[in-house]
Structure formats: structure tokens, C-alpha cells
Amino acid sequence: MRNNSSRFIERSITGALSFLRNSVFADDIALQKGYLQARDPRIRAAGIGVLLLAVLFARSALFLSSAYLLCLLLAAASSIHTMFFLKRTWLFIPAFAFFIAIPALFNFFTPGEPLISLGHGVSITEQGLHGAVIFFTRVLTSVSLAVLLSLTTRHSVLLRVLRIFKIPQVFVMTLGMSYRYIYLFIETVQNTFTAIKSRVGHVSSVRKGQRAVAWNIASLWLRSYQLQNQIFSAMLSRGYTGEALILYEFRAGAKDFFWLGVTIAVFVFGLWTNRYLH
Amino acid sequence: MHIPDGYLGPVTSGVMYAVMLPVWAVASRMVKKTLRARQVPLLAIGAAFSFVIMMFNVPIPAGTTGHAVGAVLVAILLGPWAACIAVTVALVVQALLFGDGGITAVGANCFNMAFIEVFAGYYIYKLLSGSSPIASGRRVIAAGIAGYLALNIAALSTAIMFGIQPLLHKTANGQALYCPYGLHIAIPAMAGEHLLLFGWIEALVTGLVIKYLQKQDPALLAAGKEALR
């Protein structure tokens, strides 16, 4: 256990850095040519929002599975490598949802018509199986849509899109600035950790490990606070007057509205299937 | 405690957005009123800080790890309204920019972590620390207790949201459509892991960070106290 806990900070930081590197890679995909990349970012975000709503309201496993297939098609049409997309979407949240859904298959959590009897009064019920399939495909399709938006839209553009949707300026400005700080902070934490490691070696116990994490967080706040004045001076030197200015250069065309129309049609179709499909 | 997309039905997701809209409006008005131009970067720093705290895995005896939310810590350092905006931004960054999901659940996640946890934690800390000096040990204990209690209150709220799904959304033959477990399972499961595990991580991180800040630069805690009320 000591050996395992001794490298936990390193694992945290490595994980965080690789997570952030993936998100930088996401900007590379957003710059490639593809179906979603070619759509106006406002209409692209609105369309994916409509599809998310369609998935949220859906009550049919068939509709949800079809919506997931649509996600795979959109990914392929948007220059996203299928294996990369599957890895990015199946890990973590859907995998966790899969394990959460397993107990709900059985009659002691979901009573109903027995489908497969396992003996000793334990069975998988029809209601449990259908409920678990709907739950899992809904989570998977929702995550896939969120990842599609994030992969095909440059993060700086996505932040500008939020402003267009009348999100209060204080949120958009904070979002834009904090996004840049996250990278800086991870780097700061990594440097602090390297400094600790070079002076005292690996953290050897749980208690010392907990203290090292707390020290790291406190040190991060100290450094961040000191940054505040320098950043404000930099903002002033770039012409900041108390209002953040955002440039809009988006142009929507017929193909963009066609995409939005298709997503609305999918939403309406989803509502219709709720009455006829299960 | 982060709720991904697909766990909550449209009613809960919609109601939580509706509840959070006025909270965000008041938070943005309060911060705009009290925020001095020089402190604008502080808000963004608070949001990034909150995001990064969620990435720190803390070792737990038995060889596993867990992470803190850091909402109470940010509330103590920036004040509750600014912390509400900072934690909201951290959650939106996770949901939107990093494709972690939770776009339809942003209202619910923000209600639990940027509203309930922030305000409960801040006022518990204020009540317990009273008028003690900035560098007193009482503040460290108050911060730890506030972190523990606020996280558990937020976890209970999350468990209730999960647990009411089978009551709100079920087909005629009893098939669940969203989170499949009722209140009798969701509450003990969430309460158990947060009372026994994650609450202690939050308490430990919140208390120890306040202790280190007291040692390194107590003026900073005082500045935070005055900053964005």
C-alpha cells in the first residue's frame, strides 16, 4: 500500500496533463475539414443542443441506439478517427454507467416479468433489462454528443458562442480567462511537485501524501494571488477598460440551417417515437 | 458527485436550470457591484483553482484515492457569491470544453456544488470561526467541519435528485427511464460514501489548506475575507 500511495501525486499530475494534452489535440481536430467543422459554430452548438434534448426526452431504446449511430456517422464525417472517438466516449462516464446499471437488471432492484432465471429466486427481469439498456444508451449518446461539440469546435470559438447566447459577460470573461489559467496551474503544480521530489524524494506515507496535496493547493493559491496584479497590468496595457470586447465573425448559410432543421426533425421524431416505440 | 447527462430526467434538469438562473443573475450582479476592476483576474483564478483542486487525488488508507470539490475553500477565500460563479465556471469548463458530459445537468450540478455546498460551507465556517483571529486554530477546525458538512449536504441533495427519478419517470410496466434506483438506495449509497470517505477528504483539504495559508501568508486570508463579499 505504501508503494501504491507513494506515487499518487505523480499519477494525478500525469493524468491531468494527459487529459489537458488531449484537449489541445481536440483543437487540432477542430481545425481539420469535416462536416461539423464546416457548420457555423452557433448553429453547430444549437444543433447539438437540440440533439441532446432529443436524447434527454427519448423513451425508446431503438431511438437512442439510432441517435448513437448518428453520433458515429457525424464523427466519421468530421474527420474524427473512429477508434479515438470510441476511446474518448466509452471510457469513464459510460463505463461507470454500465456498472451502475448492472444491479438494476435483477428482480431485487427492478421487480417485473422474469426473463432469465438464475435460481435461488434471482432473475433478470424484462423491465430491468430494458431500463438498463435505455439508461446506458442515453448516457453514452449524451456523452458522445458533448464530445462531438468539444472536438469539432475550437475552445476559444465555443467561448465566443456562449456570449452570443446572451450568457452574462462576467461568466464568459471568467470562462475565457480561467481556461488559460488551468494550463498554467497544472504546470505550476507539476513544477512544485518536481521541487518537492528533488528535495525529499517520494512521498512515503498516506499522511505525508495528504499534507503534500494540501501544501500544493495552498502554494498554488499563494502564487495565483500574486499573479493577479501582473495580469491586471497586462490587461490594462492591452486596452482593457472594464468591458471585455469580443469579435464576432460568424456567418450562417443555407447548409447550416439545413443542419439545424435536421436536428429539429430528429427531436420531433424522437417525441413521436415515445408514443409508438419502446 | 458530478451528475453526467442521462441520469436525470427533463423535469429535474429543467427545474434545476430554472432555480439556478436567478442565483446566477444575483451572483453576477453582486460580484459586479463589489468586484473592483483589479480583482477581475481573481475570479478567473478562483475558477481555475476550483477546477484544478478537483483533479488532485488524495490518498485514502486502503490504497485508493478520492478528490475534493474545493467549493468551501473557494468560498472562504473569495466569498460565497464569487465562489458561486467560480465553481459554476469550473463545472461548465468540465462539461463543455473538455466534453465530460453533464451539459443538460449543469443546472443540477451547479445547484449542488456551486450553490448548496458553497453557501452551506461558507455560513457554517462563518458561524464556527466566529470572531477568532485570522491565524487561530479554531478557523482551521471550522474550515474542516464546514468542508465535511457542506459536502455531505450537497451529496444528500444529489442523492435526492437521483432517487426521485424512478418516481418521476417510469413506463406503465414499471421500467425506469433515467437513474434506476429509488430514494431507499440512492440516499444510503451516496450518504455512506460521502460520510465515510469523500467528506473526510474535503475536510482534510479545506482545513489543511487554510492552515498552510495561515502559516505562509495570513494577510492573504484577511484579503480574501474582504475581497468579494
Side-chain angles (χ1 to χ4, degrees), chain A residues 30-57:
Chain A
L31 291 170
Q32 285 176 20
K33 283 186 178 172
Y35 179 75
L36 282 174
Q37 290 91 329
R39 304 283 68 79
D40 177 284
R42 296 165 300 174
I43 312 283
R44 184 191 317 153
I48 288 183
V50 172
L51 289 178
L52 266 170
L53 284 178
V55 169
L56 179 70
F57 279 90

Side-chain angles (χ1 to χ4, degrees), chain A residues 22-38:
Chain A
N22 276 343
S23 92
V24 173
F25 179 52
D27 260 9
D28 290 349
I29 294 173
L31 291 170
Q32 285 176 20
K33 283 186 178 172
Y35 179 75
L36 282 174
Q37 290 91 329

Side-chain angles (χ1 to χ4, degrees), chain A residues 1 4-5 8-9 11-13 16 19-20 23 52-53 55-59 88 93 96-97 99-104 109-111 126-127 130-131 134-135 138-139 142-143 146-147 149-150 155 158-159 162 168-171 173-175 177-179 181-183 185-186 189 206 209-211 213-218 220-222 224-229 231-233 235-236 240 243 278, chain B residues 4-10 13 24-25 27-28 31-32 35 37-49 51-53 55-63 65 73-74 77-78 84-86 88-90 92-104 169-181 184-185 204-205 208-213 216-217 220 223-224 227:
Chain A
M1 194 186 89
N4 280 343
S5 65
F8 70 95
I9 304 179
R11 282 205 304 267
S12 275
I13 292 166
F19 179 65
L20 291 172
S23 92
L52 266 170
L53 284 178
V55 169
L56 179 70
F57 279 90
R59 297 164 77 96
R88 187 89 160 76
I93 296 167
F96 189 64
F99 289 112
I100 283 196
I102 289 174
F109 282 117
T110 315
E126 200 184 315
Q127 286 84 345
H130 283 159
I134 285 182
F135 172 67
R138 193 193 309 280
V139 171
S142 305
V143 170
V147 168
L149 178 65
S150 143
H155 291 174
L158 199 52
L159 295 173
L162 287 179
Q169 193 195 13
V170 66
F171 283 96
M173 205 165 74
T174 310
L175 257 169
M177 288 173 77
S178 66
Y179 176 66
Y181 286 135
I182 287 167
Y183 289 90
F185 282 7
I186 294 282
V189 170
V206 167
Q210 289 167 342
R211 286 182 182 277
V213 170
W215 191 88
N216 239 314
I217 294 173
L220 183 63
W221 183 255
L222 283 169
S224 317
Y225 203 86
Q226 285 154 7
L227 259 183
Q228 190 196 166
N229 288 333
I231 291 160
F232 185 68
S233 305
M235 284 164 71
L236 286 180
Y240 177 72
E243 287 289 313
H278 294 289
Chain B
D5 284 313
Y7 280 62
L8 303 181
S13 303
W24 286 323
S28 113
V31 167
K32 215 171 176 180
L35 188 78
R38 189 163 283 278
Q39 291 168 331
V40 168
L42 191 60
L43 204 58
I45 285 168
F49 184 68
F51 181 92
V52 174
I53 288 178
M55 288 187 135
F56 268 104
N57 284 319
V58 178
I60 299 161
T65 61
L73 183 60
V74 179
L77 294 171
L78 293 181
C84 178
I85 292 184
T88 295
V89 166
V92 170
V93 168
Q94 280 187 340
L96 214 56
L97 300 184
F98 292 108
D100 255 13
I103 295 174
T104 57
H169 308 281
K170 215 172 198 177
T171 59
N173 65 351
Q175 177 189 308
L177 291 166
Y178 299 90
C179 181
Y181 304 108
H184 64 295
I185 296 167
L204 203 78
V205 167
L208 283 178
V209 171
I210 295 297
K211 188 181 168 187
Y212 280 107
L213 287 176
Q216 297 295 321
D217 195 349
L220 201 63

Side-chain angles (χ1 to χ4, degrees), chain A residues 128-164:
Chain A
L129 182 66
H130 283 159
V133 168
I134 285 182
F135 172 67
F136 176 71
T137 46
R138 193 193 309 280
V139 171
L140 178 65
T141 312
S142 305
V143 170
S144 301
L145 285 167
V147 168
L148 269 179
L149 178 65
S150 143
L151 288 179
T152 56
T153 313
R154 289 181 68 192
H155 291 174
S156 54
V157 174
L158 199 52
L159 295 173
R160 265 180 284 163
V161 168
L162 287 179
R163 187 76 186 112
I164 291 161

Side-chain angles (χ1 to χ4, degrees), chain A residues 228-263:
Chain A
Q228 190 196 166
N229 288 333
Q230 294 170 25
I231 291 160
F232 185 68
S233 305
M235 284 164 71
L236 286 180
S237 70
R238 284 162 179 78
Y240 177 72
T241 55
E243 287 289 313
L245 295 174
I246 296 165
L247 299 171
Y248 304 108
E249 73 279 0
F250 301 135
R251 272 195 198 95
K255 285 180 181 173
D256 300 309
F257 288 108
F258 175 75
W259 150 253
L260 188 62
V262 168
T263 62

